[in-house]
């Protein structure tokens, strides 16, 4: 039946979070109203692992549809190597957190959405996405805009675009990043139009609905600002995944007032190594005039060198909170589970081989198979 098909096609949103953006998470949840997987980087893991879902309270309220929300609290300290964030460094692990959030999603159809966005259309967004096909060779692009005020309908968006109160996301500061949103032609379509193929353009980083069972992981070498989502979509292009614009769903970000972040170059430093890996794996290579401009000031990849982060084999501790289950995922892949919905107790201890023992509400967690 159509209802069964739409339930199978339910989409989850995956996002990353720091506590200073908690209010933004509430806005995103209000606009989405469905399954969300949140990966939060914790600078104080021993404290935050005991707080659980209570960390999501804003003005005494939980986010909308919180019963469908998974929270993964991720330690700022990998098992080996330096912290991601400290006074000496700012290597925010954007893609590692995205991978954590995506892996904890309930549905297989996933959109990795930055927490500062809002979806249009209210409850209709899920019905509209469920009608479309996503598989190993097809991904859905949701056009992104930035606006001075909240926008919920296409009519509001059209008026704001006409008055200059809205524009395509990053149109002013870095238009290559969302060129494949093709917003000018998208706005000319009606909401009842079908999916339309849009051409992948080099350096584009749209917000896409993908099947997580067949899509690549986000490359965790990209930390801080720059190239983290670009790399994901470059690999989709290498896999010959076709991008289709959704005609009746869009997302909106507050109007940007400044150019690229001062630390944007951190991700750029890893690009050469990444595209060489893609070339070896897929026989794919693409560049552009915009990329050649960036290369004039490229430096070595700090996150890929011995001076940078320990990636791949070094995993931070994390705790995953669902409505009725808590899981501790230890640094070396061991997993413990409790079916009790309560919060973690504060007692953590390590044995001689460094494995973590965790107690929840007086009961030891049950060891599970590794999820990584």
């Amino acid at each position: 039946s159509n209802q069964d098909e739409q339930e199978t096609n339910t989409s989850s949103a995956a996002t990353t979070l720091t506590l200073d953006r908690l209010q933004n998470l509430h806005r995103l949840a209000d606009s989405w109203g469905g399954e969300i997987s949140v990966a939060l980087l914790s600078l104080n893991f021993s404290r935050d692992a005991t707080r659980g879902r209570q960390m999501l309270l804003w003005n005494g309220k939980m986010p909308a549809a919180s019963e469908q929300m998974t929270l993964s609290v991720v330690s700022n300290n990998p098992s080996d190597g330096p912290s991601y964030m400290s006074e000496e460094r700012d290597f925010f692990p954007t893609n590692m957190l995205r991978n954590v959030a995506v892996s904890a999603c309930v549905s297989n159809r996933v959109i990795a959405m930055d927490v500062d966005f809002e979806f249009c259309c209210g409850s209709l967004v899920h019905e509209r996405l469920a009608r479309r096909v996503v598989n190993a060779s097809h991904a859905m692009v949701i056009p992104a805009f930035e606006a001075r005020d909240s926008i919920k309908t296409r009519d509001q968006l059209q008026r704001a675009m006409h008055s200059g109160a809205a524009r395509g996301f990053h149109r002013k500061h870095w238009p290559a990043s969302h060129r494949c949103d093709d917003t000018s032609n998208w706005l000319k379509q009606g909401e009842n139009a079908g999916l339309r193929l849009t051409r992948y353009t080099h350096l584009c980083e749209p917000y896409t609905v993908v099947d997580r069972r067949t899509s690549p992981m986000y490359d965790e070498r990209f930390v801080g600002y720059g190239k983290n989502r670009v790399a994901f979509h470059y690999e989709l292009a290498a896999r010959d995944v076709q991008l289709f614009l959704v005609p009746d769903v869009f997302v909106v970000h507050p109007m940007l007032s400044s150019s690229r972040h001062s630390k944007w170059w951190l991700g750029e430093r890893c690009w050469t190594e990444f595209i060489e890996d893609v070339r070896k794996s897929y026989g794919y290579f693409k560049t552009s005039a915009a990329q050649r401009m960036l290369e004039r000031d490229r430096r070595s990849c700090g996150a890929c060198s011995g001076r940078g982060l320990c990636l791949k084999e070094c995993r931070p501790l994390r705790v995953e909170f669902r409505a009725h289950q808590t899981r501790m995922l230890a640094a070396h892949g061991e997993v413990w589970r409790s079916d009790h919905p309560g919060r973690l107790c504060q007692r953590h201890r390590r044995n001689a081989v460094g494995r973590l023992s965790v107690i929840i509400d007086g009961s030891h967690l049950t060891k599970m198979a590794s999820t990584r």
Side-chain angles (χ1 to χ4, degrees):
S1 68
N2 288 338
Q3 183 176 355
D4 292 338
E5 183 177 343
Q6 288 194 5
E7 288 177 357
T8 303
N9 291 343
T10 298
S11 299
S12 291
T15 194
T16 65
L17 181 68
T18 50
L19 286 178
D20 60 316
R21 282 187 159 91
L22 185 55
Q23 185 178 13
N24 296 359
L25 174 65
H26 279 244
R27 285 198 294 264
L28 175 64
D30 285 342
S31 69
W32 178 245
E35 299 169 359
I36 298 184
S37 175
V38 181
L40 183 147
L41 185 69
S42 170
L43 303 183
N44 189 336
F45 186 75
S46 60
R47 177 200 66 194
D48 294 339
T50 68
R51 296 169 64 192
R53 291 158 59 86
Q54 296 299 309
M55 295 176 67
L56 301 178
L57 287 169
W58 177 259
N59 288 337
K61 294 182 179 180
M62 291 291 286
S66 60
E67 72 283 356
Q68 299 183 67
M69 185 172 288
T70 300
L71 171 64
S72 298
V73 181
V74 182
S75 173
N76 183 48
N77 302 102
S79 55
D80 299 291
S83 302
Y84 300 111
M85 305 288 290
S86 67
E87 293 182 1
E88 292 77 29
R89 67 174 67 229
D90 184 3
F91 279 4
F92 186 78
T94 309
N95 278 354
M96 183 271 285
L97 292 173
R98 284 194 179 113
N99 286 332
V100 168
V102 169
S103 69
C105 284
V106 174
S107 302
N108 289 318
R109 292 160 57 108
V110 173
I111 176 169
M113 180 57 60
D114 291 341
V115 75
D116 301 324
F117 279 86
E118 293 181 67
F119 285 87
C120 74
C121 321
S123 60
L124 292 175
V125 65
H126 297 283
E127 178 185 337
R128 292 174 176 179
L129 291 179
R131 294 198 297 258
R132 275 79 191 214
V133 174
V134 171
N135 54 37
S137 59
H138 292 75
M140 292 190 294
V141 173
I142 297 180
F145 298 86
E146 53 186 83
R148 296 196 183 107
D149 301 305
S150 179
I151 294 176
K152 298 299 184 184
T153 69
R154 194 186 184 95
D155 287 343
Q156 291 175 345
L157 178 62
Q158 292 273 18
R159 291 194 296 271
M161 293 285 286
H162 182 73
S163 68
R167 61 186 175 223
F169 187 56
H170 274 316
R171 175 63 59 85
K172 181 177 180 181
H173 307 301
W174 188 239
S177 64
H178 282 266
R179 188 163 287 135
C180 52
D181 287 11
D182 194 16
T183 53
S184 297
N185 287 320
W186 181 87
L187 286 165
K188 297 173 184 176
Q189 287 184 291
E191 285 192 345
N192 296 324
L195 288 176
R196 180 169 61 84
L197 183 66
T198 183
R199 184 173 62 91
Y200 169 79
T201 56
H202 189 247
L203 301 182
C204 80
E205 49 177 356
Y207 292 99
T208 45
V209 183
V210 299
D211 188 324
R212 66 185 176 124
R213 295 169 296 185
T214 55
S215 67
M217 296 179 68
Y218 287 86
D219 193 297
E220 296 183 8
R221 284 172 289 192
F222 293 92
V223 296
Y225 286 83
K227 286 300 205 325
N228 46 73
R229 285 191 304 110
V230 171
F232 177 80
H233 290 91
Y234 186 90
E235 189 167 352
L236 286 184
R239 294 184 177 201
D240 202 26
V241 174
Q242 293 184 308
L243 304 178
F244 291 87
L245 280 167
V246 180
D248 49 5
V249 177
F250 61 90
V251 291
V252 179
H253 188 282
M255 185 73 83
L256 297 170
S257 58
S258 60
S259 60
R260 285 172 284 162
H261 196 280
S262 59
K263 296 167 184 171
W264 189 88
W265 289 101
L266 185 59
E268 180 61 30
R269 296 170 188 169
C270 296
W271 187 246
T272 298
E273 181 176 307
F274 168 75
I275 61 172
E276 178 60 18
D277 288 346
V278 170
R279 187 191 64 77
K280 290 177 182 177
S281 298
Y282 303 100
Y284 179 88
F285 174 78
K286 192 177 183 71
T287 190
S288 63
Q291 178 59 37
R292 288 189 289 272
M293 179 187 71
L294 295 174
E295 289 169 355
R296 296 171 190 168
D297 195 31
R298 179 188 286 142
R299 301 164 188 161
S300 63
C301 176
C304 302
S305 69
R307 301 189 309 275
L309 295 175
C310 180
L311 303 165
K312 298 182 180 179
E313 64 275 352
C314 298
R315 308 305 310 168
L317 294 170
R318 71 182 193 264
V319 185
E320 184 180 290
F321 297 94
R322 299 183 188 269
H324 302 293
Q325 186 182 92
T326 302
R327 300 196 306 165
M328 168 66 77
L329 292 92
H332 296 287
E334 301 91 346
V335 183
W336 288 263
R337 177 177 65 189
S338 171
D339 292 324
H340 195 288
R343 295 179 297 171
L344 284 169
C345 290
Q346 293 183 348
R347 286 185 290 167
H348 295 174
R349 57 184 171 83
R350 293 183 181 275
N351 62 21
V353 297
R355 292 182 177 176
L356 186 69
S357 176
V358 183
I359 299 175
I360 292 184
D361 299 318
S363 301
H364 280 85
L365 297 174
T366 304
K367 186 174 181 180
M368 301 170 60
S370 172
T371 60
R372 285 193 67 94

